[in-house]
Amino acid sequence: MTPGGGAHAQAQALGGRLFQASLAAAELMTVYLGVRLGLYEALAKGPATAAEFANRAGVAPRYATEWLEQQAAAGIVTVDDGTVPADRRRYTLPEGHRLALTDTGGPWAVAPLSVLPVGGIAPALPRLAEAMRAGTGVPPDAYGEALRAAQAGMNRSVFTDLLPGWLRSALPDVHQALRRPGAAIADVGCGTGTSSLVLARTYPLARVHGFDRDADALATARAAVPAAAAERVRFSAVDLANPADHADAADAVDLAGPADAVDLAGPAGAAGFDLVCVLDALHDMARPVEVLAACRAMLKPTGAVLLMEPRAAERFTAPADETERFIYTVSLLHCLPQSLVDEGSVGTGAVLRPETVRRHATAAGFARVTVLDVAHRFHRLYRLDLH
């Protein structure tokens, strides 16, 4: 081996790895274009030549040809016969790929994942570079609507397909309480309200109140409430980390008419929620202990808090598996920077390990923290109890 041969081999191996990563990133950008422009939906209507597809999708013919050929080269779409002239080739979106790319509410949906890094995070990279030097945060508006939509899309099937079953199997006592008339659920950090609406459908006798700081997200949530649920599903713009907001929330939270407002500033048990959910949101919050303390004050004595957080490993390991690597990337690129915008932020990030959850919950006054292993690759559940 020549001098430096070991280093040269390392450099070659890393170069190969980063080439594959670069190729994957570039192909992800082409998928983003397909999602953003509705190209997959257009091709899902049936096989088409480039000219037919261009007319169907509303894109320029030359771009249509190039995109279809690139997608076929990448193995995302198929071509009937690649040997015939370009204008005679017919392209098809396979059924499995259609499910992954166009069925946004299904369990196989990957379109939100393609939007997240390209449309949601990439625009914020210049500001993130500045923030890393200054030690400041990156505000949500730097990421924009694409990131909000991607986050909602990534969790939609989890909430719709898995959350009801998790509640039945992992929290059976709470599940039974929520089936009774007068039950109440708080959904903290509800975003665009998908989880709140799933909870309302799952428990048709319960009242559901979603809380979030993002007024734009809450506008989307309110617009999605069906007329039949309008009397028992409400949303409020409240920052539960800020005690000054609790008094305002007392006026805003009206779960059973004007005479029955919930006092979020009251002692534990006064508010009367059977379940308080914080679903994939605590790690984004600047002051998680304060938020958990507010959640504690909202519970009935027999109620519980349910957390859903990224399934970070029990302890730091390097190199890490793909799940941990993914969690770290979204933490560095989005979760940590946006949490650091607030003064006094603890800067948790998405790599929220079980021991940190226990520490936060104990500091917030909870007596018991139970890890609920639901065997999901990316998520872990925690139950917090008053006693």
Side-chain angles (χ1 to χ4, degrees):
M1 182 179 294
T2 59
H8 293 165
Q10 282 184 320
Q12 184 177 28
L14 182 60
R17 173 183 169 183
L18 293 183
F19 170 75
Q20 292 297 324
S22 177
L23 171 61
E27 289 185 339
L28 198 61
M29 294 177 191
T30 70
V31 172
Y32 169 77
L33 291 173
V35 172
R36 177 70 181 270
L37 297 174
L39 305 185
Y40 294 114
E41 285 85 351
L43 194 56
K45 295 177 180 177
T49 64
E52 292 168 342
F53 170 77
N55 183 63
R56 189 187 297 170
V59 295
R62 182 64 186 90
Y63 277 110
T65 299
E66 195 77 1
W67 186 83
L68 287 168
E69 290 183 356
Q70 179 275 322
Q71 293 284 287
I76 298 174
V77 307
T78 60
V79 59
D80 290 353
D81 185 353
T83 65
V84 301
D87 61 348
R88 290 170 49 195
R89 296 175 194 151
R90 297 187 68 79
Y91 298 88
T92 301
L93 182 65
E95 176 60 14
H97 294 184
R98 183 197 68 77
L99 290 173
L101 292 165
T102 68
D103 185 12
T104 56
W108 311 111
V110 297
L113 185 61
S114 71
V115 171
L116 180 67
V118 178
I121 292 176
L125 286 178
R127 295 187 67 170
L128 176 56
E130 296 173 3
M132 289 182 70
R133 289 192 181 278
T136 54
V138 179
D141 61 7
Y143 297 93
E145 177 58 33
L147 187 132
R148 181 187 295 122
Q151 286 181 306
M154 289 172 65
N155 279 333
R156 185 174 293 111
S157 66
V158 174
F159 296 149
T160 301
D161 301 329
L162 300 178
L163 181 60
W166 286 345
L167 287 165
R168 287 193 301 271
S169 61
L171 293 88
D173 58 322
V174 175
H175 168 69
Q176 290 300 325
L178 295 177
R179 298 175 67 189
R180 303 181 187 120
I185 304 170
D187 189 9
V188 175
C190 64
T192 54
T194 301
S195 52
S196 304
L197 295 177
V198 168
L199 290 165
R201 287 196 300 269
T202 305
Y203 300 105
L205 299 180
R207 294 158 291 157
V208 179
H209 205 117
F211 302 93
D212 204 283
R213 291 171 38 168
D214 188 335
D216 292 335
L218 291 178
T220 300
R222 292 187 184 101
V225 177
E231 293 303 314
R232 62 186 187 89
V233 179
R234 307 287 176 85
F235 295 98
S236 294
V238 173
D239 180 5
L240 291 182
N242 183 4
D245 273 13
H246 294 181
D248 293 337
D251 295 328
V253 180
D254 181 5
L255 293 174
D260 190 28
V262 176
D263 182 7
L264 294 177
F273 284 103
D274 297 276
L275 176 67
V276 177
C277 295
V278 189
L279 304 175
D280 202 25
L282 189 71
H283 64 272
D284 287 323
M285 296 176 178
R287 296 184 292 279
V289 172
E290 287 84 343
V291 171
L292 289 179
C295 293
R296 176 179 176 272
M298 295 160 66
L299 282 175
K300 288 181 179 178
T302 56
V305 169
L306 176 66
L307 305 180
M308 184 180 87
E309 284 299 317
R311 193 183 180 88
E314 295 277 350
R315 60 188 59 84
F316 174 74
T317 303
D321 63 20
E322 290 183 343
T323 298
E324 190 88 344
R325 287 166 56 190
F326 175 77
I327 295 171
Y328 261 113
T329 56
V330 297
S331 183
L332 173 63
L333 297 173
H334 173 256
C335 301
L336 177 62
Q338 64 87 39
S339 76
L340 289 174
V341 170
D342 288 5
E343 185 178 352
S345 172
V346 299
T348 302
V351 191
L352 183 56
R353 306 194 192 280
E355 182 54 38
T356 305
V357 173
R358 293 187 186 97
R359 187 169 63 250
H360 288 343
T362 299
F366 286 94
R368 183 156 47 101
V369 179
T370 306
V371 177
L372 307 173
D373 191 353
V374 292
H376 193 276
R377 181 179 182 183
F378 294 105
H379 300 294
R380 182 185 283 115
L381 301 187
Y382 303 85
R383 173 176 176 156
L384 314 185
D385 287 287
L386 297 173
H387 309 290

